[in-house]
Amino acid sequence: MIELLYLASQIQCGTNGSPINVNIDIYQNSQLVRTISVEEKVLLPVDSVRDLTFKYSFVNSSCNPSTPTEMVLAPNDLVPDLPGAYEQQSIQEILDGLNDYEELFLVELGTTNTASSAYDLQDVMMIVNNNPVVFAD
C-alpha cells in the first residue's frame, strides 16, 4: 500500500500565461483507478509508485501537456540542479523535508527540452508515502 499526496502544480500556458490546474488520472494495469487534483491524497493498493502509470490533463486551458518527463527521487538520491519554480522550494529543499520512507515524484509537462528555462521538473509534484498508516474499519 502506498499513499500519494498531490503536493503542488506549477505550470502556465506560454510565457506570462495564466497558471493551469492539472488533473492526474492514475492507472494500474491499464485500468483507471482514480483522478486527483492538487492537494488531494489517495491510498493505493500497490507496492510501489512504479506499479502505476499517470495521464495528465490541463483543466480549462487551450494548451496541451507535452510528453511527460517523470522522475522519482528518494531523500538520499542525487538531485538535478534546478531552481524552485515560482514560489516553490527547490527540489533539494523538498527532499530534505522527507522521511526515509517517502519519495518525491516530479513531472515536467511544459517541454521536453532539458536546456529550456521552462524545464524545472516541478509542473506536478507528488509525495509518495511507502509506509502509510492505514486504520482498519
Side-chain angles (χ1 to χ4, degrees), residues 20-93:
I20 299 171
N21 291 324
V22 180
N23 283 345
I24 305 171
D25 292 335
I26 304 169
Y27 292 86
Q28 182 182 11
N29 299 322
S30 301
Q31 296 287 357
L32 179 64
V33 175
R34 177 92 183 261
T35 300
I36 60 173
S37 300
V38 72
E39 298 182 359
E40 279 190 66
K41 193 184 292 189
V42 61
L43 281 171
L44 298 163
V46 295
D47 294 325
S48 167
V49 71
R50 291 163 183 83
D51 296 334
L52 303 169
T53 55
F54 303 93
K55 182 179 177 189
Y56 308 93
S57 57
F58 291 172
V59 178
N60 298 325
S61 174
S62 59
C63 291
N64 292 309
S66 71
T67 302
T69 301
E70 299 173 334
M71 179 181 288
V72 179
L73 297 171
N76 295 319
D77 286 348
L78 203 60
V79 177
D81 185 22
L82 298 169
Y86 309 100
E87 71 279 351
Q88 290 176 319
Q89 297 175 301
S90 71
I91 294 169
Q92 185 64 60
E93 289 171 320

